[in-house]
Amino acid sequence: SQTIHQWPATLVQPVGSPLSLECTVEGTSNPNLYWYRQAAGRGLQLLFYSVGIGQISSEVPQNLSASRPQDRQFILSSKKLLLSDSGFYLCAWSLSAGRGGPVFGPGTRLTVT
Amino acid sequence: LAKTTQPISMDSYEGQEVNITCSHNNIATNDYITWYQQFPSQGPRFIIQGYKTKVTNEVASLFIPADRKSSTLSLPRVSLSDTAVYYCLVGEGGATNKLIFGTGTLLAVQP
């Protein structure tokens, strides 16, 4: 069966520090991968999605970036965090958009101080 | 862009049936409709998915009219533990790998 992992579960970082969040999927090949962010009390904002290794589409201009160095690995990064980057970051995978819906990981709670 | 519109919040009592409707006027031919449940500090959890007519599983039913421009999630006999945010998701038709969520509906179940 498929499993999605995210780490760390929680993270507290000072403003201006770098960020690296990792997501891996097991039990499937060539998944579509997604990064979402959820601010406190808000809905799910799509940040990036990827249909294959090295293929990244960005939805929202910001100081975040994403990379997909391996088929089942998706990394969210920032060179310098802002206070507004605080939130709940969720990685998800799907076999194809419009069918099967994405399956979400446990999420990372990021607090920028 | 297949945007979705849902009520921001709904109230119910234990044991009642709850129906949450989602509008998606620009749904594409190949798009499916998926509903999720989210509790605080957890990732959304899949509830049910459908393409047309009616789908039923052990926790919910999904009703989709012929024009597919809306869908209704039906939760039978809700309990306090069903208090959560419910999201409707439709695959984005133009660039089919986008999956954009609407604002969600906060369902509050009271005793």
Side-chain angles (χ1 to χ4, degrees), chain B residues 17-34:
Chain B
E17 177 185 74
V18 172
N19 296 309
I20 306 174
T21 297
C22 178
S23 297
H24 28 80
N25 291 322
N26 296 325
I27 188 169
T29 301
N30 295 328
D31 287 342
Y32 279 66
I33 301 157
T34 311

Side-chain angles (χ1 to χ4, degrees), chain B residues 50-69:
Chain B
Y51 183 81
K52 61 181 180 180
T53 64
K54 177 183 175 181
V55 179
T56 298
N57 62 20
E58 63 276 8
V59 297
S61 295
L62 178 59
F63 299 92
I64 305 170
D67 65 6
R68 303 202 326 124
K69 293 186 176 182

Side-chain angles (χ1 to χ4, degrees), chain A residues 3-100:
Chain A
T3 308
I4 180 168
H5 302 279
Q6 276 187 255
W7 64 91
T10 60
L11 190 60
V12 180
Q13 293 282 99
V15 168
S17 64
L19 172 73
S20 180
L21 302 180
E22 189 164 344
C23 170
T24 59
V25 180
E26 296 178 357
T28 187
S29 296
N30 196 31
N32 292 338
L33 296 173
Y34 307 86
W35 278 112
Y36 290 87
R37 178 172 62 196
Q38 190 169 37
R42 305 294 295 274
L44 295 155
Q45 180 187 32
L46 178 63
L47 300 176
F48 302 95
Y49 66 96
S50 171
V51 302
I53 296 174
Q55 301 179 61
I56 309 294
S57 296
S58 174
E59 283 300 294
V60 182
Q62 60 213 328
N63 68 320
L64 299 174
S65 62
S67 62
R68 185 170 177 174
Q70 300 180 44
D71 181 46
R72 289 170 289 179
Q73 184 185 30
F74 206 22
I75 298 172
L76 182 70
S77 304
S78 174
K79 293 182 179 178
K80 291 185 178 181
L81 284 169
L82 306 172
L83 286 175
S84 58
D85 291 323
S86 293
F88 192 40
Y89 287 82
L90 290 153
C91 180
W93 76 273
S94 73
L95 287 174
S96 64
R99 297 184 60 181

Side-chain angles (χ1 to χ4, degrees), chain B residues 45 105-106:
Chain B
R45 183 177 71 96
T105 298
L106 173 58

Side-chain angles (χ1 to χ4, degrees), chain B residues 9-18 77-84 106-111:
Chain B
S9 64
M10 296 181 68
D11 294 322
S12 183
Y13 293 93
E14 282 191 292
Q16 288 188 333
E17 177 185 74
V18 172
R77 299 179 298 280
V78 295
S79 64
L80 295 176
S81 62
D82 292 318
T83 294
L106 173 58
L107 172 65
V109 180
Q110 303 184 33

